[in-house]
Amino acid sequence: MVGGVCARRLARRSRSALIVALTVLLVQTLIVWNFSSLDSGEERENGGSTARQKRDRVAGNKAAGSDYFQHGLQQQQQQQPPRQQQHLPPPGKGTSRHIQQPDGYYSHRPKEKNRVDSNNENSVPKDFENIDNSNFGARSQPQRQSVGAAGSKQQREHLQEKAHAQQQTWRDSSLRPSVGRSSNEVLPVGHQPLAVGNNASYAGGRGGAGGSQQRHRASQAQQAQHRHQHPHKRPEAAAPLGVTYDEPPKCEISGKEAISALSRVKSKECRQQIAEVYCRHKEGQLMPETVTRYCPLEGKANANVQWDEDSAESFPSKPVRIAFVLVVHGRASRQFHRLFKAIYHTSHYYYIHVDQRSNYLHRQVLSLAAQYSNVRATPWRMATIWGGASLLTMYLRSMADLLAMRDWSWDFFINLSAADYPIRFIRKQGLDRLFLECDTHMWRLGDRKIPEGISVDGGSDWFLLNRMFVEYVINSNDDLVISMKRFYAYTLLPAESFFHTVLENSAHCESMVDNNLRITNWNRKLGCKCQYKHIVDWCGCSPNDFKPADFHRFQQTVRPTFFARKFEASVNQEIVNQLDAYLFGPFPQGTQSLNSYWENMYDEPDGVASLSDTHLTYFHSFSRLGLARAAASLQGNPSDHSCRYFPMGHPVSVHLYFQSDQFQGYLVKHHATNLATSKLETMETWVAPKNNFKLTAPLSSTFSRLQFAEIGTEWDPKERLFRNFGGLMGPMDETVGMQKWSKGPNVTVTVVWIDPTNVIAATYDILIDASAEFTHYRPPLNQPLRPGVWSVRILHHWSPVAEMHFLIAPLAYNKHQPIRQEDTLKHHNGPAKNSYMEQSFHGLNPVLNVPVSAGSVEQARRNAALTGPDLERWLDSLVGELWEAADVCAVGPTACPVMQACPKNPWSSLSPDPKAHLGTPRADGRIR
């Protein structure tokens, strides 16, 4: 009995001690890293060394058999917040309070969902050249492992034995492929903090480094342990479970990169190719060991060409004829027309390759080629990707075509993209790594040796080649050309090195000039954000678009420069207008549409299958808004149906519309039956976004930095804009919150997301650095998002500063067919248990004066079951809150007396656009 009493006392004391320990742990968990600016373009140059010393190494994946840490990689130690963790209100505004600390020390940011398609600025080190790029772990269940521990050797031996057993399993049976996503995907993490949480620290995410300081206080002991791991030991890993092949591999696949690729690849055909290439490389049958050098010179060849614009001797007696190979993709046909118009001359030749996935642009190119005898489109098309071997294949095939055209006598080869424009009359990436392109992805399979006997060179993948060298590259069967084609077939970014290396080591080496006649807008802080990791197992850089502030750079070049890149009219057209006027003189005063830009988003021949269900839903609703506007144009007589219509069929075309580089809305061309005449008419509706951002309090001296805020998808951290213009979002989209700031004192704000039924879906703090200009964050909301108008509030010291609204549209289509009720209930009812995150924020509703109404919840439940016309009416009422039909015009004959013809409306996509109009060549051979 006495023993029982003592035991109970001891248990009570232990329970008290446990509660105290858990309380301390909870408080420690609440103390999360703060961050200042989230924009890498504004990051401070000092203070980086301390943060750089705190980088983690990247953990491998036990299920993939790759328990390794790699030199130069960093691991973001992720801590799961407790389920009960909430955003605590300030003292006096709730029953819970916490000790006040300087701004930013407390945060309630949830753990980010790990996705392979994220777009966040917080994944790449600032010193991008130090990236090891060995960061592609297999997508399966994660296990963090200590490599430096005494038992790690036994662990590796166990994994190796398991790998052999798996290999035997493949030979004996066929298992279903296992390509599950890992919650601990590996990706280089910079010394900057995450832009509100640990967003996008995984393979495949497109992101970049934030511009903020990091006060990450967790897992320093583990970081130190990882940091002392031997940087060069890379234990081989076994292939993942459940991978199937049409034919068993001819070797044991144990390299970690190949295992990672096999676990992530989707098609059996690509998986088989990876296995075959890996085994051929492992057996020494893939790469040449030595290559013959034919250049008589020692060292790097470079013909030093002097440039003298004033010398008449610089002009050859016989005009030089250039074969332009234009490599284009996308839908920006008007920008392509402007480039073509600027470089066209009857003496030159233009061979145009349109990406296999860009059918709309291909139709435009075929129409252009029919106008000019010296323009041809390739009769074949390839789906090329950034950094892919297919790009080199495309160039070589184009060169072979040009050499076979006996009626085209050209002297030089120049390649251009639609992002180029004329301006005046790192260790080479991955050469020692093996890559394979399949399934429109560049898979990294392991290391390789660069062949001996030659000098490997590289540079830009935009170049000028003379005809003799092109003939040599295409027709020669010598050891250099054959071996280099073989080597570069499995190389990342081959077009940046193949021609350079062949030229420097060939008998043509003395003709090499180290200048590609271009100026490129490199901004490493913004352009090196691993934005292509969804298509290539590598971190690469991309140039930024030129803006008007860059114009002086075109006039200050000290070397011969004829072209510049990149230009993108949907980002900034004014710089193209400035260059155009500088080169050719301004357009006549009063010329129409000089500041307008249209870009096609959809064309009827593409088929509605090319649209997402969300876009198809919006475009139909936009069409109906246009018909409602036409009907409202008739005032007085309710029996007059001359401007009343019934919608017919899917949209005909959709264009983005910009004016003075500002997005003005969508232009939807659509069919409708006139109720007065029963005849089918075609019209174009301009739907413009309403202003959905407002400052809720007058700006004060203590808080005056916020300029704008927006919610959207497809955030581009390089150009710092949403590529999904206007924010057309549905229940399954991953939304991103963006804020734009002016420079000023450090400030902390709280961001609160509220769904249409007043459920607080997310809340987090942001500490804004003095120099920050942009911040953005994607809260990991559980899907589907509830349809309706959402609101986002920005608070400073819990006082409202700004509020914005955005629409999650209910889907009227599912798999491009009218949605059925079982699908509406699945997509329109909100997340399971009405919970957007693991933790609940309902305690903040009274603090923020956001009441939850049982009536609104019940109405949302009824709306979730709507289909057909009822669903369309609900959809149109929601769309009408954030969009308005600004105007509507007639494409052809119309019975509506007040509807103007589209060519007479300056906003219409059918209005004249002299900038992009292609006319007949003049006597001097030009069209501009």
Side-chain angles (χ1 to χ4, degrees), residues 866-888:
L866 297 178
T867 59
D870 292 335
L871 173 59
E872 290 181 353
R873 281 190 288 271
W874 177 41
L875 168 66
D876 293 350
S877 67
L878 294 174
V879 173
E881 291 189 46
L882 296 181
W883 297 83
E884 62 179 346
D887 206 351
V888 60

Side-chain angles (χ1 to χ4, degrees), residues 258-451:
I259 290 171
S260 172
L262 288 171
S263 70
R264 292 177 288 130
V265 71
K266 295 181 180 179
S267 73
K268 286 187 177 182
E269 294 79 6
C270 186
R271 186 177 300 116
Q272 194 74 39
Q273 290 182 52
I274 290 174
E276 292 175 358
V277 168
Y278 178 87
C279 290
R280 287 176 58 199
H281 177 60
K282 188 174 183 179
E283 296 166 2
Q285 300 176 2
L286 193 68
M287 295 289 111
E289 293 184 1
T290 61
V291 179
T292 306
R293 175 180 169 91
Y294 300 101
C295 178
L297 304 177
E298 293 292 335
K300 184 172 182 177
N302 181 18
N304 211 358
V305 176
Q306 299 298 322
W307 184 260
D308 186 1
E309 291 183 344
D310 298 326
S311 174
E313 297 177 359
S314 61
F315 295 95
S317 57
K318 180 182 178 182
V320 171
R321 299 192 137 195
I322 299 173
F324 289 92
V325 171
L326 304 177
V327 185
V328 296
H329 69 280
R331 309 187 72 90
S333 61
R334 300 197 189 209
Q335 179 170 334
F336 170 69
H337 286 170
R338 293 191 72 173
L339 165 66
F340 178 80
K341 191 173 182 179
I343 65 173
Y344 180 83
H345 193 280
T346 51
S347 298
H348 301 316
Y349 304 99
Y350 304 86
Y351 199 41
I352 308 173
H353 175 270
V354 184
D355 189 274
Q356 194 176 53
R357 296 156 294 188
S358 301
N359 292 329
Y360 167 77
L361 190 57
H362 185 242
R363 293 191 295 271
Q364 302 293 311
V365 166
L366 291 178
S367 176
L368 181 150
Q371 292 182 251
Y372 305 94
S373 60
N374 57 340
V375 178
R376 293 173 186 170
T378 61
W380 46 270
R381 294 163 65 197
M382 299 176 62
T384 59
I385 62 173
W386 183 91
S390 55
L391 192 61
L392 175 59
T393 303
M394 182 272 299
Y395 282 136
L396 293 174
R397 192 169 179 181
S398 299
M399 291 174 178
D401 288 354
L402 288 170
L403 292 174
M405 296 177 189
R406 301 302 180 190
D407 55 332
W408 280 14
S409 179
W410 51 273
D411 305 295
F412 289 93
F413 171 104
I414 291 182
N415 62 332
L416 294 174
S417 75
D420 292 299
Y421 206 77
I423 62 172
R424 265 195 323 136
F425 177 165
I426 19 203
R427 179 185 72 178
K428 280 296 107 192
Q429 295 202 63
L431 285 178
D432 56 348
R433 310 297 169 91
L434 180 69
F435 284 85
L436 173 67
E437 180 178 353
C438 61
D439 285 358
T440 62
H441 190 98
M442 281 294 278
W443 305 97
R444 178 174 163 183
L445 306 185
D447 297 340
R448 67 177 181 180
K449 292 183 178 179
I450 296 176

Side-chain angles (χ1 to χ4, degrees), residues 465-496:
L465 306 175
N466 63 45
R467 183 174 183 129
M468 289 181 61
F469 179 69
V470 173
E471 289 176 338
Y472 168 70
V473 168
I474 298 302
N475 299 326
S476 175
N477 291 319
D478 68 20
D479 179 62
L480 175 65
V481 172
I482 297 300
S483 296
M484 287 296 93
K485 288 181 179 178
R486 181 178 163 192
F487 179 81
Y488 281 98
Y490 304 98
T491 300
L492 176 73
L493 297 164
E496 292 190 358

Side-chain angles (χ1 to χ4, degrees), residues 855-871:
S856 62
V857 173
E858 176 60 24
Q859 183 62 52
R861 189 188 64 81
R862 291 195 297 267
N863 288 339
L866 297 178
T867 59
D870 292 335
L871 173 59

